[in-house]
Amino acid sequence: MKRSVEERNWLEQRNVIVCRCEDVTLEEIRRAIAQGATTLDELKRLLRVGMGPCQGRTCRELLARELAEHLGKPVAEIMPPTFRPPAKPVKLGLLSRMVENAPRGDEGSSLEGGESR
Amino acid sequence: MRSTADAVIIGGGVIGSSIAYHLAKEGVRNVVLLERHSFCTGSTGRCGAGVREQWGSERNCRLAQASINAFEHLEEELGYEGDIEFKQKGYLILAHTEKEWEQFKKNVALQNSLGIPSRLLTPQEAKEIVPILNTEGMLGATYNKRDGHCNPFHTTWAYAQAARRLGVELQYFTEATGIRLEGGRVVAVDTTRGTISTPVVINAAGPWAKPVAKMVGIDLPVYTQRHQILATEPTGPIIDPMVMSFSMGIYCQQTPHGSVIMGMGDPNEPKGYDIGSSWEFLREMSRLILRILPALESLRVVRQWSGLYTVTPDAHPILGGVPGIEGYYQAVGFSGHGFMLAPAVGRIISELVVGKTPFIDITGLDLGRFERGELQVEPSVV
Ligand SMILES: Cc1cc2nc3c(=O)[nH]c(=O)nc-3n(C[C@H](O)[C@H](O)[C@H](O)COP(=O)(O)OP(=O)(O)OC[C@H]3O[C@@H](n4cnc5c(N)ncnc54)[C@H](O)[C@@H]3O)c2cc1C
């Protein structure tokens, strides 16, 4: 896998931040890989990379290349991370007012005197 | 992969990883840990991360108490450079019904008799601990400052790395496909990468404990059930303790990272292996939580997921060996609270394997209790 000179120079700065949302540096990523992390999900579990507001849009590619280089595999063989709903952040207040058309209401709760908002 | 081992562990969640470390610490170092996926893919990586010793049964109290003692020094013990994020900011358990309140009085008396410093609180005292709490309709609460939460990924990784340094082979992406018995003894484990000769096999397969037990002809009395959970965007510190209600079936905590995590037990959830996410959960969860913590209304949900509980008829785990199957051990059926028990359980199982008396009495946590009908059901679960 080939990297451009610019990219290589940039990556050589060890404390360069790879995941901007969660403030994770290249050095931290390399340390986790050295300890045995082999997948994007494992990096996510250890470092929170890709779990911030951008959900990995910025760092996913960089992380995959870093893993591929270390494992000597093509980038295409690196498993993509798991994606979790919702696609966009939604306020709890809005969710609680979602329209009633599901099978279960909240009368099953034993909270006495509680009024649903 | 090693072809001969002194013990093989099936499952690389927090339980299997803790067992691996404790076995190596007991001197059993030629151990292979088999994990079908990578670490924390099962229940552990999906859990609510809560750690409490406020239980309604003496056995759960003692297992949790010993585990909290271990969590307090875990990074040092395991030589972990990272942070397992163990925070003891307490658990605040709310009572909204007379029945709950009566049970809580009994629980606190039991807990105090075991040295657990839990207390009964008035709604006003509870509000002092969580100022954003809506105390309407509340009869009281219980609180224990030693409870808290801990990062399941780092805890599991810390155990696994410490085990590896002591000589354990971690075999991720390797599935156990069979257990061979000869004359009532374990002799080998078949895997997707070959066979390992071993006199000892430990079933720590979480939600898949039942199919693994089948490999030695045991029908475990457990079922699996989806539990859903969500996380919000991070915010400044607003809730110190884990806030929990058994009658509403919910729990909620703020992680050190700042996001608020909350989950719910749905009594209508069918048994099975579904780990999808539903919008009904988002609606129910948000409605219930906003009744007790209305100030969370403007927080945004950024992620929802689900995982499996592996439930036994009495909500206690099944620990130890099984008469008639020499060399087979299990640590299964945690019924939604296995993360917090992992330190004590890892030590107990390794002590059993080397023939020591476990440091906590586990009488009545064996598989035989179900046939004997000696069940004492844990009342305090979500
Ligand atoms: C939503 C939710 C919230 C929870 N909240 C809490 C909480 O707040 N506090 C708490 O203490 N507990 C909580 N729990 C429960 C806790 O997650 C579990 O009790 C605990 O993680 C069990 O750990 P384990 O290692 O036994 O199982 P797992 O983490 O599931 O590990 C078992 C592993 O075995 C592997 N495996 C299975 N079969 C095979 C095979 N044949 N070969 C190789 N590998 C195999 C699986 O891939 C899996 O990784 C929660 C659970 C859920 C779902």
Side-chain angles (χ1 to χ4, degrees), chain B residues 10-16 34-38 41-44 46-50 91 174-176 204-208 212 215 227-229 242 251 307-309 331 334 336-341:
Chain B
I10 303 176
V14 72
I15 296 293
L34 300 173
E35 166 53 56
R36 181 164 56 191
H37 302 292
S38 74
T41 315
S43 301
T44 304
R46 301 165 175 277
C47 85
Y91 255 64
T174 310
E175 182 173 346
W208 299 275
V212 169
M215 295 175 184
H227 275 243
Q228 301 197 58
I229 180 164
M242 173 81 93
Y251 57 88
L308 298 168
Y309 274 23
F334 288 94
H337 47 277
F339 172 63
M340 68 180 82
L341 304 184

Side-chain angles (χ1 to χ4, degrees), chain B residues 289-364:
Chain B
I289 203 68
L290 294 180
R291 289 186 191 173
I292 56 171
L293 298 167
L296 301 186
E297 187 176 42
S298 57
L299 271 188
R300 289 183 175 83
V301 175
V302 291
R303 255 188 313 281
Q304 72 173 125
W305 68 94
S306 74
L308 298 168
Y309 274 23
T310 311
V311 184
T312 62
D314 59 1
H316 285 81
I318 306 171
L319 303 179
V322 178
I325 312 177
E326 195 72 29
Y328 172 80
Y329 297 85
Q330 47 194 9
V332 301
F334 288 94
S335 309
H337 47 277
F339 172 63
M340 68 180 82
L341 304 184
V345 166
R347 184 167 159 195
I348 288 167
I349 298 295
S350 62
E351 287 168 340
L352 289 170
V353 170
V354 300
K356 287 187 183 169
T357 306
F359 82 113
I360 293 177
D361 181 17
I362 55 158
T363 310

Side-chain angles (χ1 to χ4, degrees), chain B residues 124-257:
Chain B
Q124 193 48 44
E125 288 168 325
K127 202 172 168 66
E128 280 160 27
I129 295 172
V130 178
I132 62 169
L133 186 68
N134 174 15
T135 55
E136 205 184 303
M138 243 179 83
L139 301 181
T142 70
Y143 178 72
N144 175 33
K145 62 176 187 217
R146 264 170 52 89
D147 298 346
H149 49 79
C150 191
N151 183 311
F153 302 113
H154 283 283
T155 303
T156 307
W157 190 247
Y159 272 125
Q161 295 301 314
R164 191 176 68 165
R165 281 196 300 274
L166 293 172
V168 172
E169 184 173 62
L170 304 176
Q171 274 293 337
Y172 294 135
F173 301 103
T174 310
E175 182 173 346
T177 51
I179 299 172
R180 296 195 201 175
L181 301 176
E182 267 173 29
R185 283 172 178 277
V186 170
V187 294
V189 176
D190 292 318
T191 82
T192 44
R193 292 181 204 241
T195 299
I196 311 169
S197 302
T198 178
V200 172
V201 62
I202 298 151
N203 179 354
W208 299 275
K210 201 177 168 95
V212 169
K214 272 246 159 63
M215 295 175 184
V216 295
I218 293 173
D219 186 19
L220 283 182
V222 299
Y223 65 88
T224 52
Q225 189 177 40
R226 173 175 73 166
H227 275 243
Q228 301 197 58
I229 180 164
L230 65 81
T232 71
E233 61 192 335
T235 182
I238 42 169
I239 314 165
D240 271 346
M242 173 81 93
V243 179
M244 197 166 200
S245 160
F246 298 126
S247 55
M248 295 169 89
I250 59 172
Y251 57 88
C252 173
Q253 57 126 324
Q254 186 172 24
T255 69
H257 170 259

Side-chain angles (χ1 to χ4, degrees), chain A residues 45 85 90 92-93 96 104, chain B residues 39 283 287 297 299 301 304:
Chain A
R45 287 169 198 163
V90 194
L92 280 167
S96 73
R104 205 166 77 88
Chain B
F39 83 104
R283 192 189 61 189
R287 287 186 176 178
E297 187 176 42
L299 271 188
V301 175
Q304 72 173 125

Side-chain angles (χ1 to χ4, degrees), chain A residues 18-37:
Chain A
V18 175
C19 170
R20 284 186 233 160
C21 304
E22 297 291 337
D23 230 6
V24 183
T25 65
L26 182 61
E27 191 176 5
E28 290 173 285
I29 288 157
R30 290 193 173 154
R31 202 182 306 137
I33 294 175
Q35 285 177 347

